[in-house]
Amino acid sequence: MQHFASDNYAGICPEALSALLAANDGHVRSYGDDLWTLRVADRLRQLFETDCDVYFVFNGTAANSLALAALCQPYHSVICHQLAHVETDECGAPEFFSNGAKLLAVGGEQGKLTPQTIAEAVTRRSDIHYPKPKVVTLTQATEVGTVYRPDELRAIADTARQLGLRVHMDGARFANAVASLGVSPADVTWRTGVDVLCFGGTKMGLPVGEAVLFFDRRLSEDFAYRCKQAGQLASKMRFLSAPWLGILDDGAWLRHAAHANAMARRLAAGLAEITGWPALFPVQANAVFVQLPEPVDAGLRERGWLFYNFIGAGGARLMCGWDTAPETVDRLLADIRELADRPA
Ligand SMILES: *Cc1c(COP(=O)(O)O)cnc(C)c1O
């Protein structure tokens, strides 16, 4: 049975799985010194049209935390949205791995930061007692399923530059954002001023693993040591890296992301038609947030559906993945229709 709890409920997509199996051939060098890892890093440089430094880690919490730690001293601070994964779902790992850099969480409509909220957080204080702002971190697509447009990114990065901040992007769902915008990956990262991208693989259909891309290569000095110390250097690195080849080689990463986005739009359109309940946020990626009446929520769970209620700003989060079938969306909608029609 398929669920709407998270895109990490899905299995491995076929393209990644066949690349994983292909890599399971004989002996190769360990710790990233293998041809698979070198090929994927090159393939990512091609995709992003730039000579960036590439690292592979096991998960998004490590990618974000270690990348932020690379951008900060312990007395620095990182401006993030109050719904950001780094703030709400990483158990203090960014603070831990940076030896104390503080997250400064700010508000903002639709899960987004703006140049104004960032400038306000930076210029609020300038004295020695305040942790010095050094980085702004953006999530693309955001935790509430919205997407920063290129002009929004550029405005934020320009402001960051003026204020002396580095720009980090949590791209756990970067593929969904790129598919939604129809832009080149370069145009929504380094060309608009993003210094470091954590490019999510897991939610895209890989078995495990995220890539950390340093567009400003000076920032990756000693990053390999950070990864090793944090227990994030895979000895059989080829099994973290090779699955990327499968999804990058024929554009499967974008196809799967576009499919997940389309399933979210189908779900949102069906909900609006059946119930009139509006999505709580514009559906621009692969998530639909909706306030379900309590009996409907309980009824869906009774029928075995799994989904989260604790993410973002409340409401049910219904998340589509690379393999979400249209029939699954329609089955959920049919159950919602029945439950919503019941007399209270
Ligand atoms: C899933 C996710 C991550 C990564 O989480 P891990 O469980 O550590 O892999 C990071 N950022 C966002 C926005 C996410 O949704």
Side-chain angles (χ1 to χ4, degrees):
M1 177 166 179
Q2 294 192 325
H3 293 286
F4 292 88
S6 179
D7 26 7
N8 63 18
Y9 271 43
I12 308 171
C13 70
E15 297 87 351
L17 187 58
S18 60
L20 180 67
L21 292 173
N24 191 31
D25 181 31
H27 286 201
V28 305
R29 291 173 187 268
S30 52
Y31 297 109
D33 206 10
D34 63 279
L35 289 178
W36 297 99
T37 303
L38 297 179
R39 271 171 64 200
V40 180
D42 278 341
R43 193 65 194 75
L44 284 166
R45 285 187 271 268
Q46 262 173 29
L47 178 67
F48 282 84
E49 306 170 67
T50 188
D51 193 16
C52 52
D53 276 346
V54 180
Y55 297 83
F56 297 95
V57 296
F58 291 103
N59 58 33
T61 298
N64 285 335
S65 304
L66 296 173
L68 290 172
L71 304 180
C72 281
Q73 294 293 330
Y75 49 85
H76 284 144
S77 55
V78 175
I79 296 164
C80 67
H81 194 277
Q82 60 195 14
L83 300 177
H85 197 271
V86 289
E87 164 77 1
T88 62
D89 289 280
E90 299 191 356
C91 197
E95 294 91 333
F96 177 77
F97 282 109
S98 62
N99 284 307
K102 185 174 167 59
L103 296 181
L104 298 177
V106 303
E109 298 286 298
Q110 303 187 358
K112 291 183 186 178
L113 296 174
T114 65
Q116 291 72 31
T117 54
I118 294 164
E120 203 279 317
V122 174
T123 56
R124 189 186 300 163
R125 293 268 294 271
S126 59
D127 58 273
I128 196 83
H129 306 285
Y130 191 61
K132 188 180 179 192
K134 193 64 177 179
V135 183
V136 57
T137 174
L138 305 165
T139 311
Q140 176 78 315
T142 72
E143 286 77 2
V144 295
T146 55
V147 170
Y148 286 96
R149 295 186 313 268
D151 62 299
E152 291 175 313
L153 292 174
R154 185 174 296 279
I156 287 171
D158 286 351
T159 299
R161 226 30 110 227
Q162 284 157 20
L163 296 168
L165 307 178
R166 295 293 188 176
V167 181
H168 165 265
M169 182 175 276
D170 174 349
R173 300 190 178 91
F174 183 72
N176 301 93
V178 171
S180 171
L181 292 167
V183 291
S184 77
D187 281 346
V188 281
T189 53
W190 62 274
R191 279 205 195 106
T192 57
V194 173
D195 296 303
V196 183
L197 169 69
C198 296
F199 188 0
T202 309
K203 288 170 182 154
M204 245 193 325
L206 300 194
V208 60
E210 323 277 293
V212 184
L213 279 59
F214 286 88
F215 300 114
D216 181 344
R217 298 177 57 184
R218 287 167 305 180
L219 298 173
S220 69
E221 191 187 346
D222 291 345
F223 192 71
Y225 292 90
R226 277 187 200 284
C227 292
K228 174 67 189 181
Q229 187 181 52
Q232 289 286 326
L233 177 64
S235 70
K236 291 190 180 178
M237 181 77 84
R238 62 175 144 155
F239 299 115
L240 269 194
S241 58
W244 284 86
L245 272 186
I247 59 167
L248 293 177
D249 264 354
D250 74 338
W253 70 285
L254 258 192
R255 261 199 324 276
H256 289 321
H259 170 81
N261 293 353
M263 291 302 99
R265 289 196 303 272
R266 183 186 185 99
L267 178 52
L271 267 174
E273 193 189 311
I274 292 171
T275 64
W277 302 332
L280 298 177
F281 302 99
V283 178
Q284 295 169 345
N286 58 330
V288 180
F289 285 76
V290 61
Q291 198 66 56
L292 296 175
E294 211 290 312
V296 174
D297 187 294
L300 289 175
R301 292 180 190 284
E302 216 165 87
R303 292 173 185 213
W305 292 106
L306 299 177
F307 52 94
Y308 294 150
N309 288 78
F310 65 88
I311 310 247
R317 185 190 75 167
L318 304 170
M319 186 63 81
C320 299
W322 67 268
D323 65 343
T324 300
E327 298 75 34
T328 309
V329 173
D330 296 347
R331 235 167 8 87
L332 180 76
L333 287 170
D335 279 352
I336 290 174
R337 181 197 295 271
E338 266 183 46
L339 291 162
D341 282 348
R342 268 192 202 166

Coordinates of all heavy atoms in Angstrom, one line a residue, residues 189-219:
T189 N 20.9 28.2 -8.6 CA 21.9 28.0 -7.5 C 23.0 29.0 -7.7 O 22.8 30.2 -7.4 CB 22.5 26.5 -7.6 OG1 22.9 26.2 -8.9 CG2 21.4 25.5 -7.1
W190 N 24.2 28.6 -8.2 CA 25.3 29.4 -8.2 C 25.1 30.7 -9.1 O 25.6 31.8 -8.7 CB 26.6 28.7 -8.6 CG 26.6 28.2 -10.0 CD1 26.1 26.9 -10.4 CD2 27.1 28.8 -11.2 NE1 26.3 26.7 -11.7 CE2 26.9 27.9 -12.2 CE3 27.7 30.0 -11.4 CZ2 27.3 28.1 -13.6 CZ3 28.1 30.3 -12.8 CH2 27.9 29.3 -13.8
R191 N 24.4 30.6 -10.1 CA 24.2 31.8 -11.0 C 23.4 32.9 -10.2 O 23.4 34.1 -10.6 CB 23.5 31.5 -12.3 CG 24.5 30.9 -13.3 CD 24.0 31.1 -14.8 NE 24.8 30.3 -15.6 CZ 24.4 29.2 -16.2 NH1 23.1 28.8 -16.1 NH2 25.2 28.5 -16.9
T192 N 22.6 32.5 -9.2 CA 21.9 33.5 -8.4 C 22.6 33.8 -7.1 O 22.1 34.5 -6.3 CB 20.4 33.1 -8.1 OG1 20.4 31.8 -7.5 CG2 19.6 33.0 -9.3
G193 N 23.7 33.1 -6.9 CA 24.5 33.5 -5.7 C 24.4 32.4 -4.5 O 24.8 32.7 -3.4
V194 N 24.0 31.2 -4.8 CA 24.0 30.1 -3.8 C 25.4 29.6 -3.7 O 26.0 29.3 -4.8 CB 23.0 29.0 -4.2 CG1 23.2 27.8 -3.2 CG2 21.6 29.5 -4.1
D195 N 26.0 29.6 -2.5 CA 27.4 29.1 -2.3 C 27.5 27.6 -2.2 O 28.4 27.0 -2.7 CB 28.0 29.7 -1.1 CG 28.1 31.3 -1.2 OD1 28.8 31.7 -2.2 OD2 27.5 32.0 -0.4
V196 N 26.5 27.0 -1.5 CA 26.5 25.6 -1.2 C 25.1 25.0 -1.3 O 24.2 25.6 -0.8 CB 27.0 25.3 0.3 CG1 27.1 23.8 0.5 CG2 28.4 25.9 0.5
L197 N 25.0 23.9 -2.0 CA 23.7 23.2 -2.1 C 23.8 21.8 -1.5 O 24.7 21.0 -1.9 CB 23.4 23.1 -3.6 CG 22.2 22.1 -3.9 CD1 20.9 22.7 -3.4 CD2 22.1 21.8 -5.4
C198 N 22.9 21.5 -0.7 CA 22.7 20.1 -0.3 C 21.6 19.5 -1.2 O 20.5 19.8 -1.0 CB 22.3 20.0 1.2 SG 23.6 20.6 2.3
F199 N 22.1 18.7 -2.1 CA 21.2 18.1 -3.1 C 20.7 16.8 -2.7 O 21.4 15.8 -2.5 CB 22.0 18.0 -4.4 CG 21.2 17.6 -5.7 CD1 19.9 17.4 -5.7 CD2 21.9 17.5 -6.9 CE1 19.2 17.1 -6.8 CE2 21.2 17.2 -8.1 CZ 19.8 17.0 -8.0
G200 N 19.4 16.7 -2.4 CA 18.8 15.5 -1.8 C 18.6 14.4 -2.8 O 18.1 14.6 -3.9
G201 N 19.1 13.2 -2.4 CA 19.0 12.1 -3.3 C 17.9 11.1 -2.8 O 17.1 10.5 -3.6
T202 N 17.8 11.0 -1.5 CA 16.9 10.0 -0.8 C 15.4 10.2 -1.3 O 14.8 9.2 -1.8 CB 16.9 10.2 0.7 OG1 18.3 10.2 1.1 CG2 16.2 9.0 1.4
K203 N 14.9 11.4 -1.2 CA 13.5 11.6 -1.5 C 13.3 11.6 -3.0 O 12.1 11.6 -3.5 CB 13.0 13.0 -0.9 CG 12.9 12.8 0.6 CD 12.7 14.1 1.3 CE 12.6 13.9 2.8 NZ 13.0 15.1 3.6
M204 N 14.4 11.6 -3.8 CA 14.3 11.6 -5.3 C 14.2 10.2 -5.8 O 14.0 9.9 -7.0 CB 15.5 12.2 -5.9 CG 15.3 13.4 -6.6 SD 16.7 14.0 -7.6 CE 18.2 13.6 -6.8
G205 N 14.4 9.2 -4.9 CA 14.4 7.8 -5.3 C 15.6 7.0 -5.2 O 15.7 5.9 -5.6
L206 N 16.7 7.6 -4.6 CA 17.9 6.8 -4.3 C 17.6 6.0 -3.0 O 16.7 6.3 -2.3 CB 19.1 7.8 -4.0 CG 19.5 8.7 -5.2 CD1 20.9 9.3 -4.9 CD2 19.5 8.0 -6.5
P207 N 18.5 4.9 -2.9 CA 18.3 4.2 -1.6 C 18.7 5.0 -0.4 O 18.0 4.9 0.6 CB 19.3 3.0 -1.8 CG 20.2 3.4 -2.9 CD 19.5 4.4 -3.8
V208 N 19.7 5.8 -0.5 CA 20.2 6.6 0.6 C 21.2 7.6 0.0 O 21.8 7.3 -1.0 CB 20.9 5.7 1.6 CG1 22.0 4.9 1.1 CG2 21.3 6.4 2.9
G209 N 21.3 8.7 0.7 CA 22.4 9.6 0.4 C 22.0 10.9 -0.3 O 21.1 11.1 -1.0
E210 N 22.9 11.9 0.1 CA 22.7 13.3 -0.4 C 24.1 13.8 -0.9 O 25.1 13.3 -0.4 CB 22.2 14.2 0.7 CG 21.2 13.6 1.6 CD 19.8 13.6 1.2 OE1 19.2 14.7 1.1 OE2 19.3 12.5 0.9
A211 N 24.1 14.7 -1.9 CA 25.3 15.3 -2.4 C 25.4 16.7 -1.9 O 24.5 17.4 -1.8 CB 25.3 15.3 -3.9
V212 N 26.7 17.0 -1.4 CA 26.9 18.4 -1.0 C 27.8 19.1 -2.1 O 28.9 18.6 -2.4 CB 27.6 18.5 0.3 CG1 27.8 19.9 0.8 CG2 26.8 17.7 1.4
L213 N 27.3 20.1 -2.7 CA 28.0 20.8 -3.8 C 28.5 22.2 -3.3 O 27.6 23.0 -3.0 CB 27.1 21.0 -5.0 CG 26.9 19.8 -5.9 CD1 26.3 18.6 -5.2 CD2 26.0 20.1 -7.1
F214 N 29.8 22.4 -3.4 CA 30.3 23.7 -3.0 C 30.6 24.4 -4.3 O 31.6 24.0 -5.1 CB 31.6 23.5 -2.2 CG 31.4 23.1 -0.8 CD1 31.4 21.7 -0.5 CD2 31.4 24.0 0.2 CE1 31.2 21.3 0.8 CE2 31.2 23.6 1.5 CZ 31.1 22.3 1.8
F215 N 29.8 25.4 -4.6 CA 30.1 26.2 -5.8 C 31.2 27.2 -5.6 O 32.0 27.5 -6.6 CB 28.8 27.0 -6.2 CG 27.6 26.0 -6.5 CD1 26.5 26.0 -5.6 CD2 27.7 25.1 -7.5 CE1 25.5 25.2 -5.9 CE2 26.6 24.2 -7.7 CZ 25.5 24.3 -6.9
D216 N 31.4 27.7 -4.4 CA 32.6 28.4 -4.1 C 33.5 27.4 -3.4 O 33.4 27.1 -2.3 CB 32.2 29.6 -3.1 CG 33.5 30.4 -2.7 OD1 34.6 29.9 -3.0 OD2 33.3 31.5 -2.2
R217 N 34.5 27.0 -4.2 CA 35.3 25.9 -3.8 C 36.2 26.2 -2.6 O 36.7 25.3 -1.9 CB 36.1 25.3 -5.0 CG 35.2 24.8 -6.1 CD 35.9 24.3 -7.3 NE 36.9 23.3 -6.9 CZ 37.7 22.8 -7.8 NH1 37.7 23.2 -9.0 NH2 38.6 21.9 -7.4
R218 N 36.4 27.5 -2.4 CA 37.3 27.8 -1.2 C 36.6 27.4 0.1 O 37.2 27.2 1.1 CB 37.5 29.4 -1.1 CG 38.5 29.9 -2.2 CD 38.4 31.4 -2.3 NE 37.0 31.8 -2.5 CZ 36.6 33.1 -2.7 NH1 37.5 34.1 -2.5 NH2 35.3 33.4 -2.9
L219 N 35.3 27.3 0.1 CA 34.5 27.0 1.3 C 34.6 25.5 1.7 O 34.2 25.1 2.7 CB 33.0 27.4 1.1 CG 32.8 28.9 0.9 CD1 31.3 29.1 0.5 CD2 33.2 29.6 2.1

